[in-house]
Amino acid sequence: MKAAAQGFQKIPGSNYFRLKIAYSLLLNKPIEICNIREDSITPGLTEYEISFLKLINAITNGTKFEINKTGTTVRFTPGTITNNYGDEFTFETDPSRAVTYYAEGLIPISMFGKESLNINLEGITNNDIDNSVDSFLSSTVGLLKKLVVGDSPEFKIKKRGVAPNGKGLVFFKIPIITNLAPFDWTDEGKIKRVRGTAFTSKISGTFGTRMITKSKGILMNFLPDVWLVVDSYKDKNLEAISPGYGLSLTAETKEGFFLSSDIINKDNITPEELAEKCTMKFLNELYTSGVVNVN
């Protein structure tokens, strides 16, 4: 049945925007997302949501979307998920969100495409809104590996980039699956080890060492298997990158699940203060538990 004949299903509000698009594509149902931030000072779709729609257009064939003049309504007609027919390509993301915002939105869509998705996402890799690329690699990709049988997903951090310049780059491969079998993920298991990355960009690597020393001093009170590393990103063209530093911590359970937390410096706090804040946030994440990371 043609989309025009069956009409558009109205879904109000801007919340869960990526999931609404995934819902439309997977069920092949045209949708109309209306009342998007109508009462806001800045009504309508944001730049990163429009950018996400452009990304979806790049990995599908026949997809159409229409945005009204105020941006408060978008009509989305789903096409076929081709994943660019398996060919590798690069997509520049909007600088207001991290590349993980786009990567998370791609997972429930690209897993059911015609070919595996091979994409380079260019933009911000670490910010104070989205999960960092380190947390995404350890927790989300780790969870994805439990769903995919055969081919394995890949996520490679090629270049780091923080606001405002960005210029980060990651490679993300999402294999396709034919179906989802029932699973039970109610038992996350006990924590057996902690891994982490302290990153610096255009800043002395000693900042990373200071973060690790402070964080390990707290974590070693709970378990002995703690291994944290420093990733000091440098670029020959220093003007192309922005300064910043942050910490990402991940716990692995005996059942093979991962829980992560991360923080990037945004308030000009010391590396020790940042490490303590991140570690306490991480311990609270472990206390609330769950096999699916909600950070």
Side-chain angles (χ1 to χ4, degrees):
M1 184 181 294
K2 293 184 178 180
Q6 64 184 25
F8 291 82
Q9 179 181 349
K10 286 192 175 183
I11 308 178
S14 61
N15 54 328
Y16 306 112
F17 182 79
R18 294 169 296 177
L19 290 180
K20 290 173 181 176
I21 298 301
Y23 162 83
S24 175
L25 284 165
L26 297 181
L27 296 183
N28 195 29
K29 287 187 176 181
I31 61 173
E32 179 181 297
I33 307 176
C34 54
N35 305 330
I36 302 174
R37 302 182 182 89
E38 281 193 337
D39 299 325
S40 173
I41 299 176
T42 54
L45 290 170
T46 61
E47 290 297 326
Y48 62 82
E49 288 169 335
I50 296 174
S51 177
F52 182 74
L53 286 174
K54 292 178 180 177
L55 173 58
I56 296 303
N57 196 50
I59 65 167
T60 59
N61 184 21
T63 293
K64 298 179 182 178
F65 61 90
E66 300 175 10
I67 304 173
N68 68 350
K69 291 182 179 181
T70 60
T72 55
T73 299
V74 55
R75 283 190 168 188
F76 184 86
T77 305
T80 304
I81 306 170
T82 63
N83 288 337
N84 200 38
Y85 300 100
D87 294 334
E88 185 175 335
F89 71 104
T90 299
F91 182 83
E92 185 175 354
T93 63
D94 186 81
S96 60
R97 297 300 292 262
V99 295
T100 51
Y101 168 84
Y102 297 84
E104 290 167 352
L106 285 172
I107 291 175
I109 298 171
S110 296
M111 289 174 66
F112 300 94
K114 287 185 173 295
E115 301 285 346
S116 296
L117 177 66
N118 295 277
I119 184 171
N120 291 290
L121 294 170
E122 188 177 46
I124 304 293
T125 58
N126 301 77
N127 65 8
D128 60 335
I129 303 175
D130 305 291
N131 277 331
S132 71
V133 287
D134 301 290
S135 293
F136 182 84
L137 172 61
S138 57
S139 59
T140 307
V141 176
L143 194 65
L144 185 59
K145 289 179 179 178
K146 287 182 169 290
L147 294 175
V148 179
V149 179
D151 201 359
S152 180
E154 296 180 26
F155 189 79
K156 299 178 181 178
I157 306 169
K158 295 183 176 181
K159 288 194 277 185
R160 289 186 183 274
V162 298
N165 290 356
K167 305 298 182 182
L169 184 67
V170 300
F171 171 74
F172 193 21
K173 176 185 177 182
I174 307 177
I176 59 172
I177 59 175
T178 55
N179 58 67
L180 278 175
F183 51 81
D184 183 2
W185 286 355
T186 56
D187 181 16
E188 72 277 9
K190 294 183 178 181
I191 305 299
K192 67 176 181 178
R193 57 172 163 248
V194 173
R195 298 292 183 262
T197 301
F199 89 90
T200 63
S201 174
K202 205 177 179 178
I203 288 179
S204 171
T206 58
F207 276 51
T209 305
R210 290 165 62 182
M211 286 187 283
I212 285 178
T213 301
K214 181 63 177 181
S215 183
K216 285 187 70 174
I218 300 173
L219 294 172
M220 293 292 282
N221 293 318
F222 300 95
L223 74 168
D225 194 352
V226 178
W227 184 260
L228 311 179
V229 298
V230 177
D231 183 359
S232 297
Y233 176 64
K234 297 179 181 179
D235 194 295
K236 293 180 180 179
N237 183 10
L238 292 178
E239 295 182 357
I241 61 176
S242 301
Y245 59 91
L247 178 65
S248 171
L249 298 171
T250 300
E252 182 181 353
T253 73
K254 292 183 178 180
E255 298 297 326
F257 293 101
F258 302 87
L259 296 167
S260 297
S261 286
D262 55 74
I263 288 182
I264 186 174
N265 179 43
K266 64 171 183 175
D267 300 318
N268 294 323
I269 58 178
T270 66
E272 289 80 10
E273 291 172 330
L274 184 144
E276 181 177 5
K277 186 177 180 180
C278 182
T279 306
M280 298 310 295
K281 177 185 176 183
F282 173 66
L283 292 174
N284 184 66
E285 177 81 9
L286 301 186
Y287 176 75
T288 54
S289 193
V291 298
V292 180
N293 186 34
V294 295
N295 180 25

